[in-house]
Amino acid sequence: MTDQTEHAHPDGRTGTDATGRAAANPVVVGKAPDPTAPPPLTRPLGEVRSWPHSFADRLTAPLPGVRGMTRLARERALRPNAEGLRSISRLPYAPEPLPTAGTTVTWAGHASWIVRIGGLTVLTDPVWSRRILGTPARITPPGVPWARLPRIDAVVISHNHYDHLDAPTLRRLPRDTPLFVPAGLGGWCRRRRFRRVTELDWWEGAELDGVRFDFVPSHHWSKRTLTDTCRSLWGGWVLGEHRGQGRRIYFAGDSGYGHWFAEIARRHPALDLAILPIGAYEPRWWLADVHTDPEEAVRAYEDLGARAMAPMHWATFLLSAEPVLEPLARLRTAWQRAGHPRDRLWDLPIGASRTLGTP
């Protein structure tokens, strides 16, 4: 049975749906932990583990088959048309100096963020390359030049697709950089001589210098070569400072919309920020299972009960057919229709930063 009770926000606001009525599943900021939620599992840093041959049993939708590939080629729906490309020059790009204090997030482009939390500087899905396999060159440069990055204390990887796991970028890092990766991806990293690799399954976490890294599910899949489909896991990350007692940031990686967002909220309540994908969604018949569209991203934010949302996974690579500026326009419309406070949508230009305030 769905709980239809209105939940009040600390500021007295209740969730509303697109019509302005009280929503059945409003955003609940700062809600108490669910006593029935299983406690998170903690694993040692750098543990070498054995994994199953395949994680295909974790899929929440069937993978596309030959018929779908044939239809996609016939429709030529892989990239925006000429009209959809005309707004490239208007994509939000406004690099600024990196913050030097506090808990901060900086969007470098696509799914690459520079997160400052608990005194650590963490990169998410770092891709600083101009090109990745199978796509045109990036349409906006990285928001922070590599040479201007501070010392990187850790890296989190959501899955092994080329727009999230970029070998040329990782080669720029010292080999003693701690990497937090999905189950099954450790061997790939160790073959590239990274020495501090922590592989985690869903609902597992590890701690580094007081910051907790929890790996959580997503509606996606993995593949890097012709023979490794679903051989490693996929998911998102919850980063928590002071062993989870301070600020908490959820980085979704790549995901379609589905039940996992509500379950993440149940196990990781009181998220301060949800960094969610909004692009690479057209055509829907092809991508709905693995990529949220802007309206679904707002629903995911509501399911998560986070205080604020920052959109990503758009304005960098041409991965699908929607016009390049459409994701942001649709997101802002959906946000307004849902009645959420404008200041809780952190729709940053590439290269910009935001500091999380006092809890």
Side-chain angles (χ1 to χ4, degrees):
M1 180 179 296
T2 302
D3 182 4
Q4 300 292 329
T5 304
E6 289 189 13
H7 299 272
H9 293 269
D11 59 6
R13 180 177 60 86
T14 58
T16 58
D17 63 13
T19 67
R21 298 173 303 205
N25 295 292
V27 179
V28 184
V29 177
K31 61 184 177 182
D34 183 346
T36 68
L41 298 174
T42 301
R43 307 293 306 199
L45 289 171
E47 181 183 18
V48 179
R49 307 171 67 179
S50 298
W51 301 106
H53 180 74
S54 172
F55 293 93
D57 60 325
R58 308 286 187 94
L59 291 169
T60 46
L63 293 178
V66 174
R67 183 177 299 178
M69 297 287 289
T70 302
R71 177 181 172 184
L72 188 69
R74 184 174 65 248
E75 294 181 0
R76 299 180 180 178
L78 289 171
R79 303 285 181 265
N81 59 26
E83 181 65 27
L85 292 171
R86 286 178 184 165
S87 299
I88 285 179
S89 63
R90 295 167 52 204
L91 289 171
Y93 181 81
E96 59 187 27
L98 285 170
T100 57
T103 302
T104 66
V105 294
T106 302
W107 190 29
H110 201 54
S112 301
W113 291 80
I114 303 147
V115 179
R116 181 75 176 170
I117 184 168
L120 300 184
T121 299
V122 181
L123 292 184
T124 70
D125 288 359
V127 180
W128 260 253
S129 295
R130 182 172 177 268
R131 305 187 74 98
I132 56 173
L133 184 67
T135 70
R138 62 193 302 154
I139 54 177
T140 49
V144 180
W146 187 264
R148 296 184 185 177
L149 289 175
R151 169 190 165 88
I152 302 305
D153 298 300
V155 172
V156 297
I157 300 295
S158 64
H159 65 297
N160 71 355
H161 288 161
Y162 282 86
D163 58 320
H164 294 260
L165 178 63
D166 183 52
T169 298
L170 291 181
R171 280 199 293 268
R172 300 185 182 194
L173 293 166
R175 294 307 186 268
D176 63 350
T177 304
L179 304 185
F180 293 86
V181 304
L185 200 53
W188 186 95
C189 300
R190 295 186 188 98
R191 287 193 296 274
R192 285 150 183 84
R193 295 183 294 169
F194 284 96
R195 300 189 294 274
R196 302 175 67 187
V197 182
T198 301
E199 292 177 272
L200 296 174
D201 202 341
W202 289 347
W203 311 123
E204 293 181 343
E207 295 179 4
L208 175 67
D209 297 338
V211 174
R212 185 171 176 90
F213 296 74
D214 281 288
F215 190 51
V216 296
S218 68
H219 298 274
H220 207 62
W221 63 304
S222 69
K223 183 181 180 68
R224 197 166 177 88
T225 71
L226 294 175
T227 60
D228 68 350
T229 302
C230 296
R231 295 281 289 274
S232 62
L233 201 48
W234 51 91
W237 293 91
V238 175
L239 308 182
E241 62 183 359
H242 310 310
R243 294 185 169 89
Q245 300 304 308
R247 286 298 190 189
R248 304 175 83 186
I249 297 171
Y250 166 60
F251 166 72
D254 222 348
S255 184
Y257 180 76
H259 68 283
W260 285 131
F261 294 111
E263 183 63 17
I264 290 167
R266 190 171 80 91
R267 300 190 188 216
H268 295 280
L271 295 168
D272 293 283
L273 176 65
I275 304 176
L276 294 168
I278 66 166
Y281 52 79
E282 287 291 347
R284 291 313 283 151
W285 66 264
W286 175 254
L287 292 167
D289 292 330
V290 294
H291 289 162
T292 53
D293 65 21
E295 294 79 14
E296 290 168 334
V298 174
R299 290 175 62 192
Y301 160 77
E302 293 168 347
D303 292 348
L304 290 160
R307 180 169 296 276
M309 172 187 164
M312 65 166 179
H313 206 265
W314 77 286
T316 309
F317 294 106
L318 297 175
L319 302 176
S320 56
E322 72 271 7
V324 294
L325 269 178
E326 182 182 278
L328 182 60
R330 283 177 54 175
L331 175 68
R332 288 172 172 172
T333 298
W335 191 266
Q336 182 180 28
R337 286 178 176 170
H340 301 310
R342 183 61 180 86
D343 62 356
R344 294 190 182 181
L345 178 60
W346 295 6
D347 46 350
L348 303 178
I350 294 173
S353 304
R354 184 69 68 93
T355 300
L356 281 72
T358 304

